[in-house]
Amino acid sequence: KGGRGLWPAATEEVPVARAVSGLAILMTAMAEGPDDREGHEICRFRVRWQDGSEQDWPFRFGDEVGPWLADPIHGGFPRATVAWEGLSELGESLQKVNRLYVYRWKNTRPGVPVDRISWVGGGRSFGLRIAGVTVLSE
């Protein structure tokens, strides 16, 4: 939704409507500019519970998510592990590999059902790409 440039400023809300212990989020980041350095917040992950309360968590480049075009020697990140790796013509020409990462979010309020989730840009457009979300239950 909205945004300046190529990437959206926010996502549509994704309904969850159930109690969860956490979520596994399969994603990657399209790094393109000076703001896409390790530790830079590229967006916020927002959770709304069914009681109406909300909380945001930062998604930082090189922490919760890594780059689509990655150095083949560098592995995962503090909170994101490599879930898939492949090759593309562009990646090979840059001596990079393509990667998807999984970030496991732990529900801080497991007794309250999650109503919906979304991602909101941190004051600028961001290149986060969500490939899938899996509900984790105990």
Side-chain angles (χ1 to χ4, degrees), residues 2-137:
R4 299 173 308 224
L6 186 60
W7 310 117
T11 63
E12 297 293 328
E13 293 182 327
V14 178
V16 178
R18 68 179 70 181
V20 302
S21 62
L23 300 168
I25 305 166
L26 185 65
M27 61 186 165
T28 196
M30 309 304 281
E32 298 191 336
D35 287 338
D36 295 324
R37 64 189 181 285
E38 288 195 24
H40 178 77
E41 183 178 308
I42 59 172
C43 70
R44 294 192 152 268
F45 171 60
R46 179 169 293 158
V47 174
R48 180 184 305 158
W49 286 272
Q50 287 187 346
D51 67 1
S53 61
E54 290 184 349
Q55 187 170 352
D56 290 357
W57 283 267
F59 270 21
R60 294 162 295 215
F61 187 76
D63 198 342
E64 289 81 11
V65 64
W68 172 242
L69 291 171
D71 184 334
I73 297 170
H74 192 279
F77 294 97
R79 292 176 184 80
T81 56
V82 175
W84 176 86
E85 183 175 282
L87 297 174
S88 67
E89 285 185 38
L90 176 60
E92 286 187 47
S93 72
L94 298 171
Q95 298 182 340
K96 305 275 185 180
V97 294
N98 301 102
R99 286 194 177 143
L100 292 173
Y101 305 83
V102 66
Y103 167 74
R104 287 177 177 80
W105 171 76
K106 183 176 180 179
N107 189 355
T108 56
R109 303 179 65 208
V112 181
V114 172
D115 184 45
R116 54 193 63 244
I117 58 174
S118 61
W119 290 264
V120 180
R124 68 175 204 88
S125 296
F126 63 96
L128 186 71
R129 292 294 180 253
I130 308 296
V133 178
T134 301
V135 169
L136 304 174
S137 25

